[in-house]
Amino acid sequence: MDLGLQPEISPADWKLSLNGLVEHPTTLSWPDFNALPQVSDVSDFHCVTTWSKYDCRWSGVAFTTLYEKVQPKPEARFVYFTGYDGYSTNVALTHCLDDDVLIATHFDGLPLPREHGGPARVIIPKLYAWKGAKFVNGITFLAEDKLGFWELRGYSNTADPWKEERYA
Ligand SMILES: Nc1nc2c(c(=O)[nH]1)N[C@H]1C(S)=C(S)[C@@H](COP(=O)(O)O)O[C@H]1N2
Ligand SMILES: [Mo]
């Protein structure tokens, strides 16, 4: 489910910018990104429109690996994600540091298809699915929160599915 645009990004053109309040801003190419340690995790996926998909097996790079690489400054408390389709979403940094938060490149052992956000998408299992940007191309560390696409349009900023935090 997405904005209806599914950008086609070839691996040669793909880039992930890690920026904002960090000691070491970096732009990763596809080979750079794939050279980072890879992890897998099985988690459930909750869409705000009430469907859930259980036991999703994602693999890719842990958010914490990127975090350690760029070394956010102490004042960084929020993360703003952007996608190649113009999407954006925001998450408190503490929620991103759980070890199940991945920048996923594979689902069930296969490369992520374009309609599901390939080449790479963010997965934050403990929050509603709109908090995970598909086609991710930017991760910005911020001192102040900045609302993303759906958060600006009335979706909950905190998005805890167990509390059914759907709308603000
Ligand atoms: N870049 C981008 N990421 C996005 C979206 C989008 O429109 N664009 N939609 C979000 C929403 S509302 C949901 S439910 C999930 C859907 O993921 P799926 O298409 O793999 O089911 O992606 C989220 N991430
Ligand atoms: Mo959604």
Side-chain angles (χ1 to χ4, degrees):
M1 191 170 279
D2 48 57
L3 301 177
L5 296 161
Q6 295 175 345
E8 176 85 70
I9 310 121
S10 73
D13 296 330
W14 186 89
K15 287 196 169 40
L16 176 60
S17 168
L18 307 171
N19 58 62
L21 295 170
V22 296
E23 298 295 346
H24 306 294
T26 311
T27 298
L28 299 172
S29 67
W30 188 242
D32 297 337
F33 184 77
N34 287 289
L36 296 170
Q38 303 288 311
V39 292
S40 291
D41 183 65
V42 175
S43 59
D44 299 338
F45 190 80
H46 307 284
C47 179
V48 68
T49 57
T50 72
W51 58 267
S52 293
K53 182 171 164 71
Y54 301 105
D55 299 325
C56 301
R57 189 160 58 92
W58 303 103
S59 18
V61 173
F63 182 91
T64 51
T65 298
L66 302 179
Y67 176 87
E68 283 157 20
K69 191 173 173 64
V70 297
Q71 295 185 13
K73 298 180 180 177
E75 55 275 29
R77 289 179 49 234
F78 298 94
V79 185
Y80 186 80
F81 295 94
T82 55
Y84 275 100
D85 58 345
Y87 191 77
S88 55
T89 187
N90 57 301
V91 182
L93 177 58
T94 51
H95 283 118
C96 296
L97 297 177
D98 286 346
D99 59 9
D100 56 2
V101 176
L102 307 189
I103 317 303
T105 55
H106 288 72
F107 179 83
D108 270 345
L110 296 172
L112 205 56
R114 181 162 69 131
E115 68 265 32
H116 292 301
R121 75 178 298 166
V122 181
I123 291 295
I124 307 177
K126 295 190 188 78
L127 301 180
Y128 274 121
W130 86 80
K131 291 288 188 182
K134 306 201 287 186
F135 324 109
V136 63
N137 67 355
I139 302 180
T140 304
F141 293 82
L142 301 171
E144 306 291 336
D145 205 4
K146 175 179 171 183
L147 299 181
F149 182 88
W150 285 119
E151 292 82 4
L152 283 171
R153 289 164 178 78
Y155 278 33
S156 161
N157 197 20
T158 43
D160 182 342
W162 301 108
K163 298 185 189 151
E164 302 207 32
E165 292 172 341
R166 296 195 172 90
Y167 306 105

